Amino acid sequence: MKPTAPTFHTTTFPTPCGPFSVAVDDTGAVVATAFGDLHRLSERLKPTCNLISDKLSLTIPVKKEVDAYFSGKLHTFTVPLAAQGTEFQHKVWSALVAIPYGETRSYGGLAADLGNPTASRAVGSANGANPICLLVPCHRVIGADGSLTGFAFGEDIKRQLLALEGALPPQLIN
């Protein structure tokens, strides 16, 4: 018997950085997010999943927290997360969540935080595979020289998020 493809409940709503799409499982745990429409979100999920928008009530807690973040009232997300990944990716994603609001880390610094200072490329790869942007703050990881590298949704959005948090590297402040 062929396994049934998972079903995720989705919504897209406006933010100061443009449309933001969210997918949650049947319990309301976030499995993926994306700046952009549902097509952009589906790129971050397994190709064999079903995306539906029939239970918007499951996505309301995420929308409330994202809205509170953009209004400056929330610095730490509390909605449950259910990203799929390897053990190493989960270690990196946990380290990302541990970067405080208003701070940044370099890829090498994050690798050192994980106890393996030579693993900056592997950390960068795991960071890039993060399916839950914003809530798992991959935007807080910058180049060792302070450059805004490696954000799937572009440098402009990364710059806006870091500026909102007061974490934009000094050399990039206009």
Side-chain angles (χ1 to χ4, degrees):
M1 181 181 229
K2 187 176 176 182
T4 306
T7 297
F8 300 125
H9 310 280
T10 65
T11 191
T12 300
F13 53 90
T15 73
C17 292
F20 190 74
S21 296
V22 175
V24 300
D25 64 18
D26 287 332
T27 70
V30 179
V31 295
T33 61
F35 283 97
D37 60 15
L38 291 180
H39 173 73
R40 198 73 197 265
L41 181 69
S42 67
E43 293 172 349
R44 303 176 68 76
L45 291 165
K46 293 180 181 177
T48 58
C49 69
N50 299 309
L51 299 179
I52 58 174
S53 58
D54 66 335
K55 294 184 181 175
L56 293 179
S57 62
L58 289 173
T59 62
I60 289 172
V62 183
K63 182 182 183 315
K64 284 182 179 178
E65 287 199 4
V66 170
D67 288 345
Y69 167 84
F70 279 108
S71 69
K73 297 175 183 166
L74 181 84
H75 295 174
T76 304
F77 292 97
T78 62
V79 292
L81 307 177
Q84 298 297 309
T86 66
E87 183 179 336
F88 180 74
Q89 288 171 330
H90 279 279
K91 278 179 142 177
V92 172
W93 300 339
S94 292
L96 293 173
V97 171
I99 302 171
Y101 180 96
E103 294 185 19
T104 59
R105 298 285 186 281
S106 67
Y107 293 97
L110 198 57
D113 289 349
L114 291 169
N116 193 348
T118 61
S120 59
R121 284 184 185 222
V123 165
S125 179
N127 188 45
N130 170 25
I132 306 178
C133 70
L134 187 63
L135 285 70
V136 177
C138 52
H139 64 277
R140 294 181 187 152
V141 182
I142 61 175
D145 62 357
S147 60
L148 303 184
T149 62
F151 188 61
F153 303 101
E155 186 177 311
D156 288 342
I157 291 176
K158 186 169 187 164
R159 178 184 300 273
Q160 289 176 59
L161 296 173
L162 292 176
L164 172 72
E165 296 183 15
L168 200 57
Q171 71 269 28
L172 298 176
I173 297 174
N174 294 343

PDB file of all heavy atoms in Angstrom, residues 13 27 37 50 52 60 67 79-80 97 113 116 123 128 135 152-153 156 158 164 169 171:
ATOM      1  N   PHE A  13      -0.402  35.881   4.035  1.00  0.00           N
ATOM      2  CA  PHE A  13      -0.884  37.161   4.536  1.00  0.00           C
ATOM      3  C   PHE A  13       0.189  38.227   4.326  1.00  0.00           C
ATOM      4  O   PHE A  13       1.370  37.905   4.165  1.00  0.00           O
ATOM      5  CB  PHE A  13      -1.314  37.060   6.008  1.00  0.00           C
ATOM      6  CG  PHE A  13      -0.269  36.485   6.925  1.00  0.00           C
ATOM      7  CD1 PHE A  13       0.662  37.297   7.558  1.00  0.00           C
ATOM      8  CD2 PHE A  13      -0.224  35.120   7.162  1.00  0.00           C
ATOM      9  CE1 PHE A  13       1.614  36.760   8.402  1.00  0.00           C
ATOM     10  CE2 PHE A  13       0.720  34.572   8.014  1.00  0.00           C
ATOM     11  CZ  PHE A  13       1.649  35.398   8.636  1.00  0.00           C
ATOM     12  N   THR A  27      -1.861  19.502  13.744  1.00  0.00           N
ATOM     13  CA  THR A  27      -1.825  19.966  15.136  1.00  0.00           C
ATOM     14  C   THR A  27      -1.579  21.465  15.240  1.00  0.00           C
ATOM     15  O   THR A  27      -1.579  22.019  16.330  1.00  0.00           O
ATOM     16  CB  THR A  27      -0.730  19.231  15.932  1.00  0.00           C
ATOM     17  OG1 THR A  27       0.562  19.664  15.470  1.00  0.00           O
ATOM     18  CG2 THR A  27      -0.858  17.720  15.810  1.00  0.00           C
ATOM     19  N   ASP A  37       4.316  33.781  -2.221  1.00  0.00           N
ATOM     20  CA  ASP A  37       3.019  33.110  -2.304  1.00  0.00           C
ATOM     21  C   ASP A  37       3.137  31.615  -2.022  1.00  0.00           C
ATOM     22  O   ASP A  37       4.210  31.116  -1.673  1.00  0.00           O
ATOM     23  CB  ASP A  37       2.388  33.369  -3.672  1.00  0.00           C
ATOM     24  CG  ASP A  37       3.248  32.852  -4.819  1.00  0.00           C
ATOM     25  OD1 ASP A  37       4.187  32.053  -4.592  1.00  0.00           O
ATOM     26  OD2 ASP A  37       2.976  33.243  -5.963  1.00  0.00           O
ATOM     27  N   ASN A  50       0.260  17.582   0.194  1.00  0.00           N
ATOM     28  CA  ASN A  50      -0.936  18.284  -0.263  1.00  0.00           C
ATOM     29  C   ASN A  50      -1.065  19.578   0.530  1.00  0.00           C
ATOM     30  O   ASN A  50      -1.047  19.554   1.766  1.00  0.00           O
ATOM     31  CB  ASN A  50      -2.187  17.425  -0.021  1.00  0.00           C
ATOM     32  CG  ASN A  50      -2.128  16.123  -0.776  1.00  0.00           C
ATOM     33  OD1 ASN A  50      -1.873  16.114  -1.965  1.00  0.00           O
ATOM     34  ND2 ASN A  50      -2.354  15.019  -0.076  1.00  0.00           N
ATOM     35  N   ILE A  52      -3.507  22.634   1.455  1.00  0.00           N
ATOM     36  CA  ILE A  52      -4.903  23.058   1.413  1.00  0.00           C
ATOM     37  C   ILE A  52      -5.098  24.246   2.348  1.00  0.00           C
ATOM     38  O   ILE A  52      -4.302  24.476   3.253  1.00  0.00           O
ATOM     39  CB  ILE A  52      -5.870  21.909   1.798  1.00  0.00           C
ATOM     40  CG1 ILE A  52      -5.541  21.381   3.195  1.00  0.00           C
ATOM     41  CG2 ILE A  52      -5.819  20.788   0.777  1.00  0.00           C
ATOM     42  CD1 ILE A  52      -6.520  20.344   3.711  1.00  0.00           C
ATOM     43  N   ILE A  60      -3.883  30.668  12.490  1.00  0.00           N
ATOM     44  CA  ILE A  60      -4.075  31.955  13.188  1.00  0.00           C
ATOM     45  C   ILE A  60      -2.979  32.239  14.211  1.00  0.00           C
ATOM     46  O   ILE A  60      -2.462  33.363  14.253  1.00  0.00           O
ATOM     47  CB  ILE A  60      -5.481  32.040  13.807  1.00  0.00           C
ATOM     48  CG1 ILE A  60      -6.519  32.203  12.686  1.00  0.00           C
ATOM     49  CG2 ILE A  60      -5.588  33.196  14.802  1.00  0.00           C
ATOM     50  CD1 ILE A  60      -7.957  32.112  13.152  1.00  0.00           C
ATOM     51  N   ASP A  67       2.660  38.919  12.967  1.00  0.00           N
ATOM     52  CA  ASP A  67       2.205  40.312  13.044  1.00  0.00           C
ATOM     53  C   ASP A  67       2.820  41.022  14.254  1.00  0.00           C
ATOM     54  O   ASP A  67       3.262  42.174  14.146  1.00  0.00           O
ATOM     55  CB  ASP A  67       0.677  40.383  13.116  1.00  0.00           C
ATOM     56  CG  ASP A  67      -0.012  40.032  11.800  1.00  0.00           C
ATOM     57  OD1 ASP A  67       0.656  40.005  10.738  1.00  0.00           O
ATOM     58  OD2 ASP A  67      -1.236  39.767  11.836  1.00  0.00           O
ATOM     59  N   VAL A  79       5.137  29.517  18.778  1.00  0.00           N
ATOM     60  CA  VAL A  79       4.302  28.508  18.122  1.00  0.00           C
ATOM     61  C   VAL A  79       5.133  27.233  17.931  1.00  0.00           C
ATOM     62  O   VAL A  79       6.353  27.300  17.752  1.00  0.00           O
ATOM     63  CB  VAL A  79       3.739  29.007  16.772  1.00  0.00           C
ATOM     64  CG1 VAL A  79       2.740  30.124  16.974  1.00  0.00           C
ATOM     65  CG2 VAL A  79       4.842  29.433  15.834  1.00  0.00           C
ATOM     66  N   PRO A  80       4.479  26.079  17.966  1.00  0.00           N
ATOM     67  CA  PRO A  80       5.230  24.828  17.788  1.00  0.00           C
ATOM     68  C   PRO A  80       5.764  24.689  16.366  1.00  0.00           C
ATOM     69  O   PRO A  80       5.126  25.122  15.406  1.00  0.00           O
ATOM     70  CB  PRO A  80       4.202  23.740  18.112  1.00  0.00           C
ATOM     71  CG  PRO A  80       2.876  24.386  17.944  1.00  0.00           C
ATOM     72  CD  PRO A  80       3.056  25.841  18.210  1.00  0.00           C
ATOM     73  N   VAL A  97      17.676  29.359  16.483  1.00  0.00           N
ATOM     74  CA  VAL A  97      16.632  29.829  17.402  1.00  0.00           C
ATOM     75  C   VAL A  97      17.260  30.450  18.653  1.00  0.00           C
ATOM     76  O   VAL A  97      16.693  31.361  19.245  1.00  0.00           O
ATOM     77  CB  VAL A  97      15.663  28.670  17.757  1.00  0.00           C
ATOM     78  CG1 VAL A  97      14.712  29.062  18.869  1.00  0.00           C
ATOM     79  CG2 VAL A  97      14.873  28.244  16.521  1.00  0.00           C
ATOM     80  N   ASP A 113      29.866  27.821  17.902  1.00  0.00           N
ATOM     81  CA  ASP A 113      28.838  27.636  18.936  1.00  0.00           C
ATOM     82  C   ASP A 113      28.406  26.168  19.021  1.00  0.00           C
ATOM     83  O   ASP A 113      28.049  25.687  20.096  1.00  0.00           O
ATOM     84  CB  ASP A 113      27.595  28.489  18.654  1.00  0.00           C
ATOM     85  CG  ASP A 113      27.818  29.978  18.848  1.00  0.00           C
ATOM     86  OD1 ASP A 113      28.873  30.363  19.397  1.00  0.00           O
ATOM     87  OD2 ASP A 113      26.930  30.759  18.434  1.00  0.00           O
ATOM     88  N   ASN A 116      32.161  22.906  16.561  1.00  0.00           N
ATOM     89  CA  ASN A 116      32.930  22.466  15.405  1.00  0.00           C
ATOM     90  C   ASN A 116      33.277  23.669  14.530  1.00  0.00           C
ATOM     91  O   ASN A 116      32.646  23.907  13.500  1.00  0.00           O
ATOM     92  CB  ASN A 116      32.140  21.421  14.605  1.00  0.00           C
ATOM     93  CG  ASN A 116      32.996  20.703  13.593  1.00  0.00           C
ATOM     94  OD1 ASN A 116      34.120  21.111  13.321  1.00  0.00           O
ATOM     95  ND2 ASN A 116      32.459  19.640  13.020  1.00  0.00           N
ATOM     96  N   VAL A 123      27.381  24.235   8.185  1.00  0.00           N
ATOM     97  CA  VAL A 123      26.401  25.085   8.878  1.00  0.00           C
ATOM     98  C   VAL A 123      25.659  25.945   7.864  1.00  0.00           C
ATOM     99  O   VAL A 123      24.438  26.102   7.933  1.00  0.00           O
ATOM    100  CB  VAL A 123      27.094  25.941   9.960  1.00  0.00           C
ATOM    101  CG1 VAL A 123      26.207  27.072  10.427  1.00  0.00           C
ATOM    102  CG2 VAL A 123      27.502  25.061  11.138  1.00  0.00           C
ATOM    103  N   GLY A 128      20.775  27.096   4.949  1.00  0.00           N
ATOM    104  CA  GLY A 128      20.067  27.263   3.694  1.00  0.00           C
ATOM    105  C   GLY A 128      18.912  26.289   3.512  1.00  0.00           C
ATOM    106  O   GLY A 128      17.977  26.561   2.770  1.00  0.00           O
ATOM    107  N   LEU A 135      10.754  32.417  11.746  1.00  0.00           N
ATOM    108  CA  LEU A 135      10.538  31.803  13.048  1.00  0.00           C
ATOM    109  C   LEU A 135      11.787  31.073  13.524  1.00  0.00           C
ATOM    110  O   LEU A 135      12.081  31.048  14.715  1.00  0.00           O
ATOM    111  CB  LEU A 135       9.344  30.836  13.007  1.00  0.00           C
ATOM    112  CG  LEU A 135       7.961  31.497  12.975  1.00  0.00           C
ATOM    113  CD1 LEU A 135       7.673  32.195  11.677  1.00  0.00           C
ATOM    114  CD2 LEU A 135       6.883  30.488  13.275  1.00  0.00           C
ATOM    115  N   ALA A 152      17.550  32.973   1.358  1.00  0.00           N
ATOM    116  CA  ALA A 152      16.767  32.474   0.219  1.00  0.00           C
ATOM    117  C   ALA A 152      15.819  33.505  -0.372  1.00  0.00           C
ATOM    118  O   ALA A 152      15.450  33.404  -1.536  1.00  0.00           O
ATOM    119  CB  ALA A 152      15.978  31.234   0.642  1.00  0.00           C
ATOM    120  N   PHE A 153      15.429  34.497   0.400  1.00  0.00           N
ATOM    121  CA  PHE A 153      14.428  35.452  -0.068  1.00  0.00           C
ATOM    122  C   PHE A 153      15.034  36.803  -0.427  1.00  0.00           C
ATOM    123  O   PHE A 153      14.319  37.777  -0.623  1.00  0.00           O
ATOM    124  CB  PHE A 153      13.315  35.580   0.978  1.00  0.00           C
ATOM    125  CG  PHE A 153      12.711  34.235   1.260  1.00  0.00           C
ATOM    126  CD1 PHE A 153      13.066  33.526   2.393  1.00  0.00           C
ATOM    127  CD2 PHE A 153      11.848  33.647   0.350  1.00  0.00           C
ATOM    128  CE1 PHE A 153      12.556  32.266   2.630  1.00  0.00           C
ATOM    129  CE2 PHE A 153      11.337  32.386   0.567  1.00  0.00           C
ATOM    130  CZ  PHE A 153      11.689  31.689   1.712  1.00  0.00           C
ATOM    131  N   ASP A 156      17.392  42.212   0.220  1.00  0.00           N
ATOM    132  CA  ASP A 156      16.507  43.298   0.651  1.00  0.00           C
ATOM    133  C   ASP A 156      15.662  42.893   1.857  1.00  0.00           C
ATOM    134  O   ASP A 156      15.535  43.654   2.814  1.00  0.00           O
ATOM    135  CB  ASP A 156      15.595  43.765  -0.482  1.00  0.00           C
ATOM    136  CG  ASP A 156      16.344  44.545  -1.553  1.00  0.00           C
ATOM    137  OD1 ASP A 156      17.466  45.022  -1.277  1.00  0.00           O
ATOM    138  OD2 ASP A 156      15.809  44.669  -2.666  1.00  0.00           O
ATOM    139  N   LYS A 158      16.294  40.400   3.950  1.00  0.00           N
ATOM    140  CA  LYS A 158      17.208  40.164   5.072  1.00  0.00           C
ATOM    141  C   LYS A 158      17.587  41.498   5.721  1.00  0.00           C
ATOM    142  O   LYS A 158      17.584  41.625   6.946  1.00  0.00           O
ATOM    143  CB  LYS A 158      18.458  39.426   4.587  1.00  0.00           C
ATOM    144  CG  LYS A 158      19.405  39.013   5.701  1.00  0.00           C
ATOM    145  CD  LYS A 158      20.467  38.070   5.167  1.00  0.00           C
ATOM    146  CE  LYS A 158      21.311  37.523   6.284  1.00  0.00           C
ATOM    147  NZ  LYS A 158      22.084  36.342   5.892  1.00  0.00           N
ATOM    148  N   LEU A 164      14.813  45.963  11.351  1.00  0.00           N
ATOM    149  CA  LEU A 164      13.712  45.925  12.313  1.00  0.00           C
ATOM    150  C   LEU A 164      14.220  45.526  13.691  1.00  0.00           C
ATOM    151  O   LEU A 164      13.806  46.080  14.707  1.00  0.00           O
ATOM    152  CB  LEU A 164      12.630  44.939  11.850  1.00  0.00           C
ATOM    153  CG  LEU A 164      11.508  44.649  12.845  1.00  0.00           C
ATOM    154  CD1 LEU A 164      10.592  45.854  12.980  1.00  0.00           C
ATOM    155  CD2 LEU A 164      10.718  43.427  12.426  1.00  0.00           C
ATOM    156  N   PRO A 169      24.451  45.263  10.427  1.00  0.00           N
ATOM    157  CA  PRO A 169      25.861  45.596  10.649  1.00  0.00           C
ATOM    158  C   PRO A 169      26.125  47.076  10.358  1.00  0.00           C
ATOM    159  O   PRO A 169      25.574  47.614   9.380  1.00  0.00           O
ATOM    160  CB  PRO A 169      26.596  44.683   9.675  1.00  0.00           C
ATOM    161  CG  PRO A 169      25.657  43.527   9.464  1.00  0.00           C
ATOM    162  CD  PRO A 169      24.281  44.132   9.521  1.00  0.00           C
ATOM    163  N   GLN A 171      28.358  48.837   8.938  1.00  0.00           N
ATOM    164  CA  GLN A 171      28.804  49.238   7.601  1.00  0.00           C
ATOM    165  C   GLN A 171      27.668  49.223   6.583  1.00  0.00           C
ATOM    166  O   GLN A 171      27.812  49.765   5.498  1.00  0.00           O
ATOM    167  CB  GLN A 171      29.992  48.383   7.132  1.00  0.00           C
ATOM    168  CG  GLN A 171      29.647  46.949   6.803  1.00  0.00           C
ATOM    169  CD  GLN A 171      29.789  45.996   7.983  1.00  0.00           C
ATOM    170  OE1 GLN A 171      29.656  46.384   9.137  1.00  0.00           O
ATOM    171  NE2 GLN A 171      30.042  44.729   7.692  1.00  0.00           N
TER     172      GLN A 171
END
